[in-house]
Amino acid sequence: MTKATRRGILAVVVAATLLALGAGIGVVVGDALGISVEGSDRMHPAEPDVSPVEAAVPPPAIASLDVPTTARVGVAVDELLDAVAAAPTREGELALAVEVEATATPTGTDADDAYRLEGDASSLRVIAATESGATRAIYDLAAHVRAGRSVAAELGEHDASALPVRLVDLGAVGVEADPTEWERGDDYSHVSDAFRDVYLADAPYVDEAALAEAYDDWDAFLRRSVAEGANAVAWPGFIEYVDFADAEDGPVYADGDPHPARAAALREAFGPFWDRAAELGAKVYLRTDMLALSPELDAYFDRRFGGADTEDPELWQVYADALDALYAEQPSLSGVMIRIGEGGDIYATPGWDFTSELAVRSVAAVRAMLTALTTQAEASDREVIFRTWSVGIGDVGDMHTDPASYQRVLDGISSPALIVSTKYMAGDFFSWHPLNETLKIGDQRRIVEFQSRREFEGFGAFPNDLGPEFQWALGELLAANPNIEGVWTWTQDGGPWRAGPMTLHLKAGFWQLADLNTRLSLALARDPGTHVSQVTIDWAKQFSDDPATVSAIAEAMAISREPIEHGLYLSAFAEQHTTALGLQPPPQMLLFQWDILTGDTATLDVIATIVGDRREESIREADEAVAAAERMRSAIEATDAASWRDPAERSAFIGAIGYEVDTLGLLGAYREMFLEQARWHDTESDEAHGAWRAARDDYVAAAAAHLAAYEGDVDHPAWNLTAAQLGVDRGDRDLAMAWAARVLLVLALVWVVVGAASVRTRLVRRPGAAGARASWLAATRPWRAREATLGLDSLDLWLLFLVPVALLVATRAVQTSFLSWTHLAVVLGAWVVFAIVVRLFVWRRSPWPVIAAVGGVVVLRCVVTLVALSFTGPGGYWYAFWTDPVQRVAYIAIAFALFVWVFVAAGWALSTQIGVRRATGSVLAAVGAGLALPSLVVAIVGLEQALTLWNDEMGLLPWGMSRILGITTFLEIPEESAWYAAGFGALVALVGALLAVRWRRPRAIAD
């Protein structure tokens, strides 16, 4: 066997090995993408109905009151008097007496709010065992008055509320309704900035005038909340109120550090707020993410534990000791609410140095935390509310939705001081999710989370009556789990505060739409059998006492779920359970998230593939959603403006639905556009391309009209179409890029064919053919690179260099649609570094053999990419990558094999000049340097910033990822990865350099 034959066999073996490795990598990439789809069982609420609306019964004037003289009862009486005063007319008089008798009910505990109502419409007597029962009775009477029912409508026994824990968030207390902060519409911070005017940067740290205004704000919110049935509030904050003075091996804060003084000032300032809640029968739980950190606390953890080791019980004892001190000073605090599954910069308050980190990621860490904090809570007669919510990060990231994971984390932790809080749906607050099965298991005390102002469904700007869904979900869960003892209703919170409409609970915008869902959830917590349509009617009566108008409002609200469920979602996708990249994308991936209309290929291509043959059905669905919203608008428009208490509220209602109609029309146009675009990529037909172009023009027109109508409108803000427009821009270039790829492919193939043909024909004598021959030989038989480049004239040498360089640049430019200069800079920069390092090691020897080898393989590698691009451009390239496993594996196998063959060919070509060892070292050094320097630049810039810039230009992953938690956080990529890559590259370069230098043998010493 000749040497040439042996080399040929070796080359075939190496190539086959590389192809096999590439195929394996393709399979691994597919597994990492983890794209899978299975059917999902959505909730099955009853169909909404509309109860008959009775004519309002005028309330009697309050003639006399014989009630306990406590602050709590006094506030309830205020609500009753306000309700009577607000009625258009009054008939008769009422004498009301309230008695609190310890023997009135069997239990007599404060949580027992049962009562008995005796008498008639002119004389009523409330008998209750507790102050809770007495105040509930008065609030119920006020609700009857506001709903236009007789105060004697429900005489008799009233059982205690079914669920004793009825928690709300802080609403919009302390938040300033400043339109300038909402006008831009792109502030996706989750920070409410509550009490911003109260805080001062320096001593005395609190503005007393602003604090007084905030107290009035808080008092109004408390009064409203307890009137609707709430008896607890989740108050954002924790770390700003503690000083860790009792921390072992402290202090955490050095002498002179302002943190302890500021914490003391804030405790003194807000203590009366918490006392007021206790006075009105409402508990207050401090609400915090963990880990909650300050720079000094983080440094303390470094000193004492070598870092924030969340599996170390002693770390959690630091927080427990801080809570001990806080509770001792502030007895009105009832406990702490903890979330571990979300955090970071998006929750960082500007001007504060407190942060939160997603650092509690393991089962051991969660158990260590809960053990320490519940032990403290039991000893101090407080409670710990642990939220299972997570964005899916870490070993406990699926505890929120996976029963097995929930059991693994919490099994055996059943402290009486522990309450576990979980969203009622298996995911975030989207429609189409199934019921959360984890709420049916576990022996812990449980509460169920509801969101009134649905952040993913227009931020509460659209009518959205969730009564039937809330009732069905709560009924199913209570039947399955007797440990459920409460609800937590988010009246305002959830998601960005200033990216949607300026709708602030009790303050600004059409906040009443979301308040309906607050009323519904609290009413169901008291009585799961509540007639939810009657709750809606009672809510509607705040706008009018005219039965026809109230009926019209109720009818519109009964329709409201239809446009939401079918206009904001594609049911063909939403009814599936999808997983991707280790995450569980929500059913509304058309938006990522909130008001961000996505434009990335990964999301839209996967949605289109799942929709599949139901494309036309999905397009019709959007039209039907708009039609449903138009029926809602017609119902409200048909009402007489004079029948409304305030005609401006009628206008607000019509404006809200008009905004919904326009938005759903916009989303429908976008839906048709990307589904037709995907069909073109799938079929490559001219008809599909024409349908996409027509749909594209419709969407562009709808987008322009939407922006013209709503940009700058803080009540109805224009949706964020940035990502969608980036997608449109890329799509507009697909056909042109496909033709560019075809032209480049033809030119590349001519070069390859001429090179291959010139090996054995006279074609080699033609101008440039010898250069093409050298390129082909060096690429396919790199051991012949040196001989192939001998005797080439200047034209051939220039072509040997310029053809692969130009082809590489052009191919990468086409692949990115000439839109990602970041991608080009990184890729081409790495190649330039590689070439420079190789050239330095070649030094005085001819560089042309290695140029021919590398350039020849680069041409072949470009050919593979150009083939993929030539069908329907970059859009088609990525469509196949995301949706076709066979094509993905085949492409990755060939592309990987050729990529590695570049370096094999370079080393083989060099070995004929400087030997195997030095050639191997030279290539390793060049590869290491080509990895190290770009990685170093990325590390210096910041991996998250670099990935954000790259993804914005390429549009592969949702644009919103980096605006929420960050790409690195979502995909669990360590921020230090770029530094690791740079270090690894430097190590490879060093090893390569040591192998590449001459090793001089020591001379023998004569005897």
Side-chain angles (χ1 to χ4, degrees), residues 796-879:
D796 291 317
L797 291 174
W798 276 109
L799 289 174
L800 193 64
F801 173 75
L802 291 177
V803 167
V805 169
L807 190 62
L808 175 64
V809 173
T811 300
R812 292 300 183 186
V814 169
Q815 188 178 19
T816 62
S817 299
F818 289 86
L819 291 172
S820 179
W821 302 109
T822 302
H823 184 83
L824 284 174
V826 171
V827 171
L828 299 181
W831 278 114
V832 168
V833 171
F834 173 84
I836 290 173
V837 173
V838 168
R839 182 67 185 90
L840 289 174
F841 281 112
V842 171
W843 200 237
R844 293 188 178 88
R845 293 175 179 81
S846 172
W848 293 110
V850 72
I851 289 174
V854 171
V857 183
V858 165
V859 169
L860 297 178
R861 175 66 181 80
C862 289
V863 166
V864 173
T865 300
L866 291 169
V867 168
L869 294 170
S870 64
F871 296 99
T872 57
Y877 171 98
W878 289 111
Y879 179 84

Side-chain angles (χ1 to χ4, degrees), residues 594-637:
W594 309 300
D595 64 345
I596 302 174
L597 188 55
T598 199
D600 63 286
T601 59
T603 298
L604 298 181
D605 292 345
V606 170
I607 290 176
T609 302
I610 292 172
V611 170
D613 294 338
R614 296 174 64 182
R615 173 182 54 82
E616 292 184 0
E617 171 194 332
S618 294
I619 293 171
R620 285 197 305 272
E621 177 184 37
D623 296 334
E624 291 165 0
V626 172
E630 288 175 335
R631 292 200 306 275
M632 293 168 57
R633 180 168 59 183
S634 296
I636 304 300
E637 287 177 335

Side-chain angles (χ1 to χ4, degrees), residues 611-690:
V611 170
D613 294 338
R614 296 174 64 182
R615 173 182 54 82
E616 292 184 0
E617 171 194 332
S618 294
I619 293 171
R620 285 197 305 272
E621 177 184 37
D623 296 334
E624 291 165 0
V626 172
E630 288 175 335
R631 292 200 306 275
M632 293 168 57
R633 180 168 59 183
S634 296
I636 304 300
E637 287 177 335
T639 63
D640 183 356
S643 68
W644 290 66
R645 299 185 194 277
D646 183 353
E649 290 177 336
R650 177 178 180 272
S651 299
F653 227 124
I654 293 171
I657 303 174
Y659 176 52
E660 182 176 17
V661 168
D662 183 88
T663 302
L664 296 184
L666 170 74
L667 297 180
Y670 191 71
R671 173 189 307 208
E672 182 174 5
M673 181 193 74
F674 85 80
L675 288 176
E676 294 292 6
Q677 185 178 28
R679 183 164 70 98
W680 173 50
H681 291 318
D682 185 42
T683 65
E684 303 169 33
S685 74
D686 291 339
E687 181 273 330
H689 183 265

Side-chain angles (χ1 to χ4, degrees), residues 271-323:
F273 287 60
W274 305 331
D275 293 342
R276 177 59 167 170
E279 191 175 49
L280 298 189
K283 294 182 176 182
V284 174
Y285 295 91
L286 295 182
R287 175 182 166 194
T288 182
D289 289 331
M290 282 293 178
L291 280 176
L293 295 168
S294 66
E296 292 78 9
L297 182 60
D298 199 19
Y300 167 79
F301 287 153
D302 286 339
R303 291 194 309 271
R304 184 175 171 194
F305 303 111
D309 180 3
T310 56
E311 296 184 3
D312 188 339
E314 290 300 314
L315 179 141
W316 295 110
Q317 191 59 43
V318 174
Y319 290 104
D321 291 342
L323 285 170

Side-chain angles (χ1 to χ4, degrees), residues 21-37 579-583 881-882 884-886 888-889 892 971:
L21 285 173
I25 291 173
V27 172
V28 170
V29 168
D31 289 341
L33 292 176
I35 300 173
S36 64
V37 180
T579 56
L581 296 172
L583 303 172
F881 180 86
W882 298 121
D884 192 322
V886 174
R888 180 172 59 238
V889 170
I892 290 175
L971 303 184

Side-chain angles (χ1 to χ4, degrees), residues 56-59 83-90 145-146 148 541 544-546 645:
V57 176
V84 171
T89 60
R90 281 158 292 284
V145 170
R146 292 191 185 279
K541 287 180 178 179
S544 173
D545 57 3
D546 174 55
R645 299 185 194 277

Side-chain angles (χ1 to χ4, degrees), residues 176-261:
E176 183 182 359
D178 181 356
T180 62
E181 296 181 4
W182 271 262
E183 284 175 355
R184 284 183 54 188
D186 60 356
D187 180 359
Y188 291 97
S189 169
H190 287 33
V191 175
S192 69
D193 240 0
F195 309 118
R196 178 177 57 193
D197 294 338
V198 173
Y199 302 133
L200 298 176
D202 302 308
Y205 302 113
V206 171
D207 184 309
E208 293 296 336
L211 183 68
E213 291 183 13
Y215 184 88
D216 292 341
D217 204 2
W218 165 244
D219 190 61
F221 172 76
L222 265 182
R223 287 169 175 264
R224 174 79 177 212
S225 297
V226 296
E228 291 186 343
N231 61 3
V233 178
W235 178 289
F238 156 69
I239 194 169
E240 59 266 47
Y241 303 121
V242 296
D243 54 22
F244 301 100
D246 298 325
E248 186 177 336
D249 297 331
V252 171
Y253 298 113
D255 290 343
D257 189 297
H259 286 88

Side-chain angles (χ1 to χ4, degrees), residues 865-918:
T865 300
L866 291 169
V867 168
L869 294 170
S870 64
F871 296 99
T872 57
Y877 171 98
W878 289 111
Y879 179 84
F881 180 86
W882 298 121
T883 66
D884 192 322
V886 174
Q887 290 190 51
R888 180 172 59 238
V889 170
Y891 178 82
I892 290 175
I894 297 171
F896 172 81
L898 285 172
F899 177 72
V900 178
W901 185 255
V902 169
F903 309 118
V904 172
W908 216 328
L910 282 173
S911 67
T912 62
Q913 295 177 284
I914 59 176
V916 174
R917 174 181 62 79
R918 293 187 63 206

